[in-house]
Amino acid sequence: VIILKKHKDDYKINRKALSIHFHSIGIWYCDNDDFHKGRKYFLKSIQAYPYNIKYHARYIVSLFGKRFYKTVLKILRGLKKDL
C-alpha cells in the first residue's frame, strides 16, 4: 500500500500497472485466508483495468469460499507445471 501511495501519479497514467498491484495484494490476502480484503482488492484491480479476464475469474472463484478457491488454484498450478 505504501508503494501505491508513493507512485500514485505514475499509476494515474498506467492503469494496467495499478491493476497488477491491486491484484497481487488481493492474492496475498486470499492466500492468507482474508477473503474479504482479498475480494476488495480484486475488485479494485478490475476497476483499474477491466480488460484482464484472469482478474475477473479469480474474483469469481473467490466468491465460492476458501476451500473452492484453494482447490481451483491448486489444480491450475498443477496444470501450469505440466506445460
Side-chain angles (χ1 to χ4, degrees):
V1 177
I2 294 169
I3 292 172
L4 294 174
K5 288 179 184 177
K6 183 178 177 181
H7 298 285
K8 86 175 178 186
D9 292 335
D10 296 332
Y11 289 130
K12 286 180 183 176
I13 296 168
N14 190 346
R15 304 289 292 171
K16 189 174 182 180
L18 178 62
S19 178
I20 290 167
H21 282 288
F22 282 147
H23 190 252
S24 296
I25 293 168
I27 290 171
W28 186 86
Y29 275 120
C30 286
D31 285 349
N32 288 287
D33 298 332
D34 191 341
F35 281 81
H36 179 72
K37 284 186 182 176
R39 285 186 202 110
K40 177 178 151 185
Y41 278 95
F42 289 153
L43 282 177
K44 285 184 176 194
S45 170
I46 291 166
Q47 290 169 343
Y49 188 78
Y51 308 109
N52 191 327
I53 300 301
K54 289 189 293 186
Y55 295 176
H56 291 269
R58 192 177 292 258
Y59 172 72
I60 292 168
V61 168
S62 76
L63 293 173
F64 288 95
K66 173 182 165 181
R67 192 166 148 194
F68 184 77
Y69 177 87
K70 295 202 178 213
T71 300
V72 169
L73 288 185
K74 194 175 193 180
I75 291 167
L76 291 176
R77 288 178 183 149
L79 291 174
K80 270 188 177 178
K81 283 183 184 179
D82 292 342
L83 296 177

